[in-house]
Amino acid sequence: MRIPCPYCGERNSGEFVYRGDAAPMRPEGAEGLFDYVYLRENPAGPLREHWYHAQGCRNWIEVTRDTRNHVISGAILAREARR
Amino acid sequence: MAEALLIEQRKGLALASVMARKGVSAQDLGKAFGLSALPEGPRSARIDSLSFWGTGPGTWLAIADRFDPGWPQRLEQIAGRLASISDQTGSYALFRLSGNGARTLLQRGAAVDLDPQVFGPGSVATTVIAHIGAIIHRDEAGYDVAVFRSYAESFRDWYDSVAATV
């Protein structure tokens, strides 16, 4: 699989570390922490997910990937994804 | 590049990483060093004997042709308020690849497109060669490859085995 890093360009997925769904936000307190740690949506379709470009620019990026066919429709730096 | 394939280890360089502080642009930093801007993508810029390789958003590897005792304080005096400077002189070994087949050889290890159309002089790629992290830089005359110093021997082993096939 090739991942389009916003800084480096298209690279082999082996250069990256996978973290998973980008949607969960750490709650302020204990309320909702179980869900944050354990519960994931697992959609069949587009998913925004975090990848770390360990062997490249060493940045977290947010990739939008269709889980049914691995078609990647976009990638931005994670720091820019957090509005 | 019509001469024989050659690899040399570049010695006596001074290296440092430059990381822009929050809100500091590539233009701000570039002006401090006497350039219009530091490269905003994976490219290089040079002023006098000092080169900057873009290694990530807001980060560069600064390389001076000759180490001197004032390194890296000299950089800190110029950009200390705009960037974090960290000495990397002992961290990387730099190899110089030139001559016939240098690109073919590198291309057998690096999974990035090194075709001159997309990887011309001034291009930089932070990637991996034979599981060894490597920063590749191209100029008019050849390629520089920076690897972590402790991997220098492993990189040479890879080079020697591939050079036999080029």
Side-chain angles (χ1 to χ4, degrees):
Chain A
M1 191 159 71
R2 308 279 288 173
I3 293 176
C5 173
Y7 185 87
C8 301
E10 204 178 75
R11 293 295 176 85
N12 188 320
S13 63
E15 291 189 6
F16 298 80
V17 175
Y18 182 64
R19 180 170 170 269
D21 195 347
M25 296 285 281
R26 188 189 172 95
E28 290 292 319
E31 187 70 31
L33 196 63
F34 180 92
D35 289 7
Y36 166 74
V37 173
Y38 293 109
L39 291 187
R40 295 294 180 269
E41 283 294 332
N42 195 24
L47 175 69
R48 292 185 306 116
E49 55 191 12
H50 281 139
W51 293 76
Y52 176 64
H53 199 183
Q55 301 279 12
C57 59
R58 300 177 194 159
N59 272 252
W60 284 98
I61 64 174
E62 190 182 276
V63 177
T64 305
R65 178 180 62 94
D66 192 314
T67 58
R68 294 164 300 185
N69 52 20
H70 301 305
V71 169
I72 289 168
S73 54
I76 50 172
L77 293 174
R79 68 177 74 156
E80 286 164 8
R82 286 279 174 244
R83 284 140 310 269
Chain B
M1 290 196 224
E3 57 285 344
L5 179 62
L6 180 71
I7 185 168
E8 327 166 76
Q9 194 168 345
R10 294 179 65 189
K11 301 280 195 176
L13 303 167
L15 287 78
S17 65
V18 179
M19 296 182 82
R21 298 253 167 91
K22 197 167 187 176
V24 174
S25 73
Q27 284 79 11
D28 300 337
L29 262 172
K31 285 193 179 74
F33 285 107
L35 290 151
S36 57
L38 291 189
E40 297 206 54
R43 298 193 53 77
S44 69
R46 187 173 171 87
I47 180 159
D48 302 326
S49 60
L50 186 61
S51 300
F52 294 92
W53 297 357
T55 51
T59 68
W60 297 269
L61 187 65
I63 303 169
D65 293 343
R66 292 192 68 79
F67 178 83
D68 64 88
W71 183 272
Q73 287 75 14
R74 204 151 40 86
L75 293 188
E76 282 175 348
Q77 281 159 7
I78 296 168
R81 292 190 180 166
L82 302 170
S84 301
I85 312 285
S86 174
D87 190 22
Q88 303 287 338
T89 301
S91 308
Y92 289 93
L94 252 86
F95 291 94
R96 179 81 191 156
L97 270 68
S98 59
N100 262 340
R103 175 163 70 95
T104 306
L105 188 145
L106 268 182
Q107 195 67 88
R108 288 182 186 176
V112 293
D113 192 352
L114 299 176
D115 189 285
Q117 297 269 332
V118 290
F119 202 82
S123 299
V124 177
T126 306
T127 184
V128 63
I129 294 176
H131 303 279
I132 301 164
I135 309 172
I136 303 167
H137 171 249
R138 186 186 163 197
D139 59 28
E140 301 290 347
Y143 298 88
D144 290 307
V145 182
V147 297
F148 288 125
R149 188 184 52 172
S150 57
Y151 283 98
E153 197 180 339
S154 305
F155 181 79
R156 265 312 296 254
D157 288 348
W158 169 83
Y159 173 90
D160 290 339
S161 64
V162 177
T165 72
V166 172

